Amino acid sequence: METLSHFRTIEELVKALDREKILFRDMFERRKSLTYRTDFAMELVDYRRERIQYLIDHGIIHENGDFLEMEDVYVQFFEEVLDMNEEISVSSVKEYLDSLRENINYYLQETNESRKNQYQSNVRKMLRRIGLRTLKNIIDLKRNVDTAYKQEPNYKIKKTRLVNLDEKRKSIKVLIHECERLMDSEVVFFKMATDPEMQRTVMDVRNDFTEADHNLLEIEHQVIDYINQIEQQSLLFKKIRKLKYLKDQLTWREDTNIVRTLESRHPLWMENRPYNRFFLSIDMLRSSEEAYNIVHKVAGQNIVQRLARTEAEPLDEIFMNENIEEVNAVNMTELWNAFKAQGNHLFAFIKDYPYKQRHTLGEYIILFCQMATLHSDELRITDDYEQYDNIEYALIYAN
C-alpha cells in the first residue's frame, strides 16, 4: 500500500489550500458529480501536472482513471464550515456522550489537581460540542425533510425517506434525554466542578436542549403532515387511474357518479374571468417611457384623439439670470492629500493651511475632528498633547 505524504504544519496546509482555491471551489461545486475530468483540473492549474500530483500525494484529492475526486475528509470539512452538510450525524453525538462519561469517571478517580482540571476542561468541551452538534443536526433534519417532500418525484421513495428521517428524529430525541439524564445523575461531579464556566456551559446546553425539543416536536408534526399528504395524493392517483380505466371501457357514466358530481360543483376555474380595474401611478406615467408607450397604444386602439394643449406662459427673466453664491466650504480630499505630503501634526497643519477664506478657531476644531474621524485608520495618534488658546489637543500624524 502506497504511503501518502502529510502536511507538517498548519501553514503548509493553508498555503496549499490557498494556492489551489479556484480548483477546490470548482470541485466542491461539482462534488455530487462523479465525472470531474482531469482535463478540467489541468485548465485551472495552468496545465502543470506537478500541482495536481502534489495534491494527490498529500491526500487532498485522488485520481480514478481520467477523473478526479476530492477526498471525503475535505468535502465534509467544507460542508461543515459552510453549513451545507446534508447528512445527519447522530453517531457523532453518541461518541461525544461516551467521551463525556469517560472524562467524568477519570475526573472522579484522579488525585492530581492538574490532571483533574484537564478532565474538567474536556467535560466542558464535550458538553458544548453536544449542544452545538444537536442543534446542527436538527437544522439539517428540517432541511432534509422539506427537500424529501418537495423534490423527490417517486412517491414510494419520498415516503420511505420521510420515515427514515423520522427515525433519526427519534434518535436525536433519545440522545438528548440520555445527556440530560447523565447531567442529572452525575451529581457528585457537578458539585465538585463548580467553577462559573462549567455552570454557564451546563446552563447553555440545557437551553439548547429545550430549543431542540421544541424544534423536534415541530418536525414531528411536519413529517406526519407530509406523510398524510402523500397518502392522500397516492389515493387520489389510484382513483384517477381507475376512473381513466372505466372511461376507456365506456362504463364510467354508469359505474360512477362522475357526471352528477361535476354537475353539482362549480369550481372557480369554470367561472368567467373577473375584470379588475387598476389605476396607474401619476409619477410613473410622467417618468416612465414604457408607461407612455402603453398609454399611446391603448389610446390608438380605442381611437382616442390627443387633446390640444395650450402653450405655457414664458419664464420670468429673473430665472434666466446667473446668480453666483459663494459657500465657505473646504475640499476634504484636497486637504487630506496636502496633509499627507507634509510632516507637521494635524492641528498645526489645519491652522496654517492657506484657505481661500478666513476661518475661525471653532471651524479649525471642526476640521480637526472631521479629519481624525474620516481617516482614523491612516493616522498615528500619539499620547503627546499641546495647547492653543486654552484648547488642549493630541498630536496626530499621518502614517
Side-chain angles (χ1 to χ4, degrees):
M1 180 177 179
E2 185 179 356
T3 304
L4 297 176
S5 302
H6 63 278
F7 295 103
R8 297 178 178 85
T9 61
I10 295 179
E11 289 78 5
E12 186 180 359
L13 171 62
V14 173
K15 184 178 180 181
L17 295 177
D18 181 68
R19 183 174 59 246
E20 309 300 348
K21 57 187 176 183
I22 299 178
L23 174 62
F24 293 145
R25 181 189 63 189
D26 194 51
M27 293 187 69
F28 183 73
E29 290 175 352
R30 305 185 189 185
R31 63 189 182 279
K32 296 184 179 180
S33 173
L34 301 178
T35 58
Y36 193 88
R37 298 185 61 87
T38 307
D39 299 339
F40 299 158
M42 292 295 292
E43 294 179 4
L44 299 178
V45 297
D46 300 329
Y47 296 96
R48 296 175 61 182
R49 175 65 190 183
E50 61 274 12
R51 290 169 61 177
I52 299 292
Q53 191 61 43
Y54 177 83
L55 299 177
I56 295 175
D57 294 339
H58 286 75
I60 300 180
I61 62 177
H62 67 271
E63 192 172 21
N64 184 15
D66 295 334
F67 303 97
L68 295 176
E69 292 183 17
M70 188 182 297
E71 291 291 348
D72 291 340
V73 61
Y74 290 95
V75 174
Q76 293 174 5
F77 169 73
F78 291 140
E79 287 179 342
E80 287 289 338
V81 173
L82 300 175
D83 197 15
M84 297 180 179
N85 186 23
E86 297 181 354
E87 297 296 329
I88 302 169
S89 178
V90 181
S91 59
S92 63
V93 179
K94 190 175 185 307
E95 292 176 359
Y96 292 151
L97 273 173
D98 295 338
S99 179
L100 182 63
R101 292 189 182 95
E102 293 175 1
N103 281 274
I104 290 177
N105 292 331
Y106 297 155
Y107 177 87
L108 296 175
Q109 298 173 13
E110 183 59 57
T111 57
N112 183 276
E113 193 65 28
S114 177
R115 288 194 290 270
K116 288 185 67 173
N117 292 335
Q118 182 62 44
Y119 292 137
Q120 180 178 341
S121 177
N122 294 339
V123 170
R124 187 169 57 249
K125 292 178 182 179
M126 289 299 114
L127 285 173
R128 189 180 298 112
R129 289 176 185 175
I130 290 173
L132 294 176
R133 183 71 257 182
T134 301
L135 293 179
K136 179 66 169 56
N137 281 338
I138 291 176
I139 294 174
D140 295 337
L141 178 63
K142 183 174 179 57
R143 181 172 61 245
N144 287 338
V145 167
D146 292 336
T147 302
Y149 178 76
K150 296 177 182 178
Q151 298 184 9
E152 177 57 51
N154 189 299
Y155 279 96
K156 292 183 179 179
I157 297 178
K158 180 185 295 188
K159 183 177 178 180
T160 304
R161 288 182 61 183
L162 288 174
V163 172
N164 293 335
L165 290 172
D166 191 55
E167 291 298 326
K168 291 187 177 182
R169 176 194 63 80
K170 295 178 182 177
S171 300
I172 295 174
K173 192 170 184 179
V174 169
L175 290 175
I176 291 176
H177 292 164
E178 287 185 7
C179 187
E180 290 179 334
R181 187 165 55 250
L182 176 64
M183 289 190 292
D184 293 335
S185 60
E186 296 293 342
V187 179
V188 177
F189 169 79
F190 287 105
K191 283 186 176 180
M192 296 175 63
T194 56
D195 62 298
E197 186 65 24
M198 177 64 74
Q199 294 177 355
R200 184 162 52 250
T201 302
V202 172
M203 185 176 296
D204 291 341
V205 172
R206 290 187 183 276
N207 292 334
D208 292 341
F209 286 164
T210 302
E211 181 181 356
D213 281 332
H214 293 304
N215 290 327
L216 288 175
L217 183 61
E218 180 182 353
I219 293 174
E220 181 183 9
H221 293 164
Q222 190 71 57
V223 171
I224 294 174
D225 182 61
Y226 282 161
I227 292 178
N228 290 336
Q229 291 184 35
I230 292 173
E231 294 290 344
Q232 294 175 3
Q233 293 169 1
S234 178
L235 181 61
L236 177 62
F237 181 71
K238 291 179 181 178
K239 290 183 178 180
I240 293 174
R241 288 177 57 183
K242 185 176 181 179
L243 185 63
K244 175 66 168 55
Y245 172 77
L246 295 175
K247 181 178 181 299
D248 294 339
Q249 298 296 320
L250 301 179
T251 61
W252 67 321
R253 296 179 182 271
E254 182 66 23
D255 296 342
T256 67
N257 62 343
I258 182 68
V259 176
R260 294 191 301 272
T261 301
L262 292 178
E263 288 177 351
S264 62
R265 294 178 178 271
H266 301 282
L268 185 62
W269 61 273
M270 297 182 64
E271 297 183 359
N272 295 329
R273 185 176 180 180
Y275 176 74
N276 299 318
R277 299 180 62 185
F278 296 95
F279 297 95
L280 301 179
S281 169
I282 300 298
D283 294 336
M284 186 190 73
L285 294 175
R286 289 175 177 172
S287 58
S288 174
E289 186 69 22
E290 182 180 0
Y292 173 79
N293 294 332
I294 293 175
V295 172
H296 186 72
K297 181 179 178 180
V298 173
Q301 293 176 351
N302 293 275
I303 316 177
V304 177
Q305 298 181 355
R306 185 175 181 179
L307 300 177
R309 296 181 179 178
T310 58
E311 294 183 356
E313 297 181 358
L315 295 175
D316 195 341
E317 294 184 357
I318 191 173
F319 294 105
M320 308 301 292
N321 297 331
E322 294 185 358
N323 297 324
I324 300 175
E325 180 180 359
E326 293 186 2
V327 180
N328 187 12
V330 178
N331 189 331
M332 300 300 293
T333 303
E334 180 180 343
L335 187 66
W336 169 249
N337 293 332
F339 173 64
K340 291 194 300 182
Q342 53 86 53
N344 205 350
H345 61 83
L346 180 59
F347 189 81
F349 165 78
I350 290 176
K351 184 169 61 66
D352 299 331
Y353 184 79
Y355 302 98
K356 295 181 180 179
Q357 298 181 1
R358 293 179 59 86
H359 286 69
T360 63
L361 177 59
E363 292 173 336
Y364 289 151
I365 296 173
I366 293 174
L367 289 174
F368 176 85
C369 296
Q370 288 178 344
M371 290 282 285
T373 303
L374 293 174
H375 304 282
S376 60
D377 295 336
E378 302 175 72
L379 294 172
R380 179 170 56 88
I381 303 175
T382 67
D383 296 330
D384 300 327
Y385 291 84
E386 288 187 2
Q387 191 170 355
Y388 177 80
D389 197 9
N390 295 328
I391 296 176
E392 189 178 18
Y393 58 90
L395 300 184
I396 302 176
Y397 299 87
N399 288 333

